[in-house]
Amino acid sequence: MSTDPVTTDTAARPVRVRFAPSPTGSLHLGGARTAIYNWAFARATGGSFILRIDDTDPERSTPENIAQIISALEWLGIDWDEGPVRGGDYGPYFQTERAASYVQALETLQANGWAYRCFCTPVELAAKREIARAKGGSAGYDGACRTLSEEQSQARANAGEPFVWRLKIPVDHGAIAFNDAVCGHTEFPADSIDDFVLVRSDGSPTYNFASIVDDAAMAITHVIRGNDHVSNTPKQILVLEGLGAPIPNFAHLSMINGPDGKKLSKRHGSTGVEEYADEGYLPEALMNYLALLGWSLDGETTLIDADTLKTHFNLEHIAKRPANFDFTKLTWMNSEYLRAMEPERFAHLMVECLARAGLVAYDDFEQRPDWYLTLTPLVSERTKLLTDIAPMTRFLFVDTVEPDETARKKVLEKDPTLVERALQVAQEILENIDPENWDTEHIEAAMADLPDSVGAKPRLAYQPLRVAVAGSTVSLPLNESMELLGREKTLARIRALL
């Protein structure tokens, strides 16, 4: 372990940041934002972004959760310089594989007089807390074992008496202070912090020990994380002081709340990154939106791509106040990205959606690229989520359609005589179009006289035809749909409805 003097000056060292999720579940939105900020800061400063898996919870840290977190990060477009899959000079990058580091760190603390064995049992500690509360005093650890001599402590350990290791905070230690990049000057009185546990009786390290030991061993210069960790920071600084290790810069991010201002949770909607992928959001839209939940480029720009984020991200523009998650705004942002997408990429995504819905084969774009590129602008400008695509275009990929309930009530049953007349005239007009000229331009020109021929307003004249073609009163543009559907299918659907 480094014996450098304690310092908060990291200016001389290259930026190294880390994202260290605990794989006890999927990657939630708050964790994803933390990862984005760390990654963007590393890229903007020319530093390194490290992915570390803090998998010390044996019951909930599963290989499936680890794979899910890595997959979610990759889907967002976040790459790491060191970590699982990639490796690196500071590995291993799983805490369960770093036991030797914690043993070494504990030995350093012992040698420096910063650690001692505590033999107080859980029952004794609980009884002490109850007595302290009854007296109105502090319910923290009373330091009963810190006065044991090394000989007494070793003798009890040799006798097989269970013990934990605690940090021995100097009695004359002043306030623990640090300059938070988001919250500003922050300090905690040393006497408000107990001699907390470093290593449990089973030999496993606690979070406040293992995490900061790893940060020191991996030369982390900036710890960017949620402000629910603020109370952990003074404890971790004390561990670093005991180790004689450099102290990193800290930046604690405000929480993400739901639209009602309360902590974001399942009751507000989806909270896991993979859920947003399943619901049809684009990774670039979700990254953009999460980046703006607590950070701003210039106070005005809303659409910020990854390259801009990697170039211009800084800690100074992170807001102190919690951000409210607005599902409507995220969906709007997603639609903007879809609308601006390169046609060929949109077409490929469209085919993937249709293939997952069982409507086409995954290689269908290669079979008829021009057809899909004709369809693309009609769909992209009407799509908010990728999951909108299959329902919107389904009528183009099935042999027949059945009018939905709205179409039946508002069109077919409202004026059957008009419906029959409109369909008969439309059929006659369309049958007279030369098959070689079956395109939107010729269809539109030929159908222009339909309202006058039927003796009805355009909306009433065209609706029966739309229902026949798409099975709904709301669909893609009618003339373009008939071109894409093809002459024979279009006429067959009119005849079927008649």
Side-chain angles (χ1 to χ4, degrees):
M1 182 60 59
S2 170
T3 57
D4 294 343
V6 175
T7 176
T8 58
D9 180 14
T10 56
R13 293 190 286 158
V15 167
R16 289 177 59 81
V17 294
R18 49 74 167 176
F19 176 56
S22 177
T24 56
S26 60
L27 179 64
H28 59 80
L29 296 177
R33 185 189 63 169
T34 299
I36 291 168
Y37 283 12
N38 276 279
W39 168 79
F41 183 66
R43 298 292 174 259
T45 57
S48 299
F49 173 60
I50 294 91
L51 175 62
R52 187 178 76 221
I53 305 297
D54 288 1
D55 57 343
T56 51
D57 185 333
E59 294 182 0
R60 297 194 297 160
S61 296
T62 66
E64 293 77 14
N65 288 338
I66 294 172
Q68 195 172 47
I69 289 171
I70 290 176
S71 176
L73 291 172
E74 290 175 338
W75 179 78
L76 281 169
I78 295 176
D79 58 331
W80 47 96
D81 303 295
E82 303 172 26
V85 182
R86 293 192 63 87
D89 296 336
Y90 292 80
Y93 295 93
F94 292 86
Q95 281 192 333
T96 49
E97 300 174 10
R98 298 184 61 82
S101 297
Y102 310 135
V103 171
Q104 180 184 353
L106 181 61
E107 291 174 350
T108 300
L109 290 175
Q110 291 175 253
N112 294 343
W114 278 76
Y116 65 93
R117 297 182 186 89
C118 172
F119 298 91
C120 298
T121 67
V123 173
E124 291 171 338
L125 292 172
K128 289 180 180 181
R129 283 194 292 269
E130 287 301 317
I131 294 172
R133 289 193 185 98
K135 295 181 178 180
S138 170
Y141 179 62
D142 62 1
C145 293
R146 68 181 283 156
T147 57
L148 292 174
S149 67
E150 177 57 29
E151 291 74 16
Q152 291 172 316
S153 176
Q154 189 63 59
R156 293 176 68 171
N158 291 343
E161 192 172 343
F163 62 89
V164 299
W165 285 97
R166 291 183 181 272
L167 187 73
K168 190 172 187 179
I169 304 173
V171 293
D172 59 349
H173 197 294
I176 299 98
F178 58 95
N179 185 39
D180 191 283
V182 176
C183 305
H185 180 78
T186 306
E187 64 177 58
F188 294 80
D191 58 11
S192 69
I193 303 173
D194 301 329
D195 287 355
F196 57 93
V197 176
L198 300 169
V199 178
R200 303 179 185 91
S201 58
D202 63 0
S204 63
T206 60
Y207 167 78
N208 278 321
F209 181 51
S211 181
I212 203 65
V213 166
D214 287 343
D215 288 342
M218 294 181 179
I220 301 301
T221 61
H222 295 73
V223 174
I224 305 170
R225 58 188 179 185
N227 64 12
D228 53 332
H229 286 287
V230 168
S231 61
N232 293 323
T233 301
K235 296 179 181 180
Q236 294 176 350
I237 289 176
L238 287 168
V239 171
L240 292 175
E241 289 183 4
L243 294 172
I247 297 174
N249 293 291
F250 290 94
H252 290 95
L253 313 174
S254 63
M255 293 291 99
I256 299 177
N257 293 332
D260 58 0
K262 297 180 180 179
K263 185 178 179 181
L264 187 67
S265 66
K266 280 288 186 182
R267 70 177 181 276
H268 295 112
S270 301
T271 58
V273 169
E274 75 284 353
E275 294 175 272
Y276 284 86
D278 293 341
E279 290 171 10
Y281 288 92
L282 295 169
E284 55 264 47
L286 187 59
M287 173 183 278
N288 187 159
Y289 185 69
L290 289 176
L292 293 181
L293 285 180
W295 180 81
S296 171
L297 177 65
D298 52 21
E300 297 179 358
T301 307
T302 302
L303 299 178
I304 302 173
D305 60 24
D307 288 338
T308 302
L309 195 61
K310 290 190 293 184
T311 303
H312 297 287
F313 185 85
N314 54 57
L315 301 179
E316 291 75 18
H317 287 182
I318 297 177
K320 296 180 182 179
R321 298 180 61 182
N324 289 353
F325 196 96
D326 185 337
F327 293 89
T328 301
K329 186 172 182 180
L330 170 60
T331 302
W332 166 83
M333 188 174 288
N334 200 69
S335 69
E336 290 295 304
Y337 272 94
L338 286 167
R339 190 174 291 113
M341 187 177 290
E342 287 293 324
E344 190 157 324
R345 184 190 170 201
F346 185 94
H348 278 288
L349 288 174
M350 179 164 56
V351 172
E352 288 180 16
C353 294
L354 295 169
R356 284 196 295 269
L359 295 172
V360 301
Y362 279 95
D363 65 350
D364 204 39
F365 178 82
E366 284 69 29
Q367 306 305 315
R368 44 177 180 167
D370 292 341
W371 188 90
Y372 277 107
L373 291 174
T374 300
L375 175 61
T376 288
L378 306 179
V379 179
S380 63
E381 66 182 30
R382 292 169 173 80
T383 303
K384 293 182 178 180
L385 302 171
L386 290 174
T387 47
D388 296 338
I389 292 174
M392 184 191 306
T393 62
R394 184 180 183 278
F395 74 97
L396 294 171
F397 301 96
V398 294
D399 293 331
T400 60
V401 293
E402 287 292 330
D404 60 31
E405 185 177 355
T406 301
R408 288 188 177 278
K409 288 184 177 180
K410 292 189 175 182
V411 179
L412 305 185
E413 297 173 3
K414 188 174 183 179
D415 191 343
T417 302
L418 173 61
V419 170
E420 184 175 4
R421 174 64 178 156
L423 291 177
Q424 287 174 340
V425 173
Q427 179 183 355
E428 182 178 343
I429 292 173
L430 294 172
E431 284 177 339
N432 288 327
I433 297 177
D434 187 327
E436 296 296 321
N437 293 328
W438 188 265
D439 56 43
T440 298
E441 182 180 355
H442 287 89
I443 294 172
E444 184 175 357
M447 294 297 295
D449 294 333
L450 179 65
D452 290 339
S453 300
V454 175
K457 294 180 179 179
R459 185 180 65 81
L460 297 177
Y462 288 115
Q463 277 289 43
L465 182 57
R466 186 182 299 276
V467 172
V469 170
S472 174
T473 59
V474 179
S475 72
L476 299 177
L478 181 57
N479 296 325
E480 288 85 343
S481 294
M482 289 191 287
E483 177 190 344
L484 290 162
L485 189 62
R487 184 176 186 274
E488 296 310 314
K489 276 192 175 183
T490 298
L491 291 171
R493 290 185 183 183
I494 294 173
R495 295 187 194 107
L497 190 56
L498 279 170

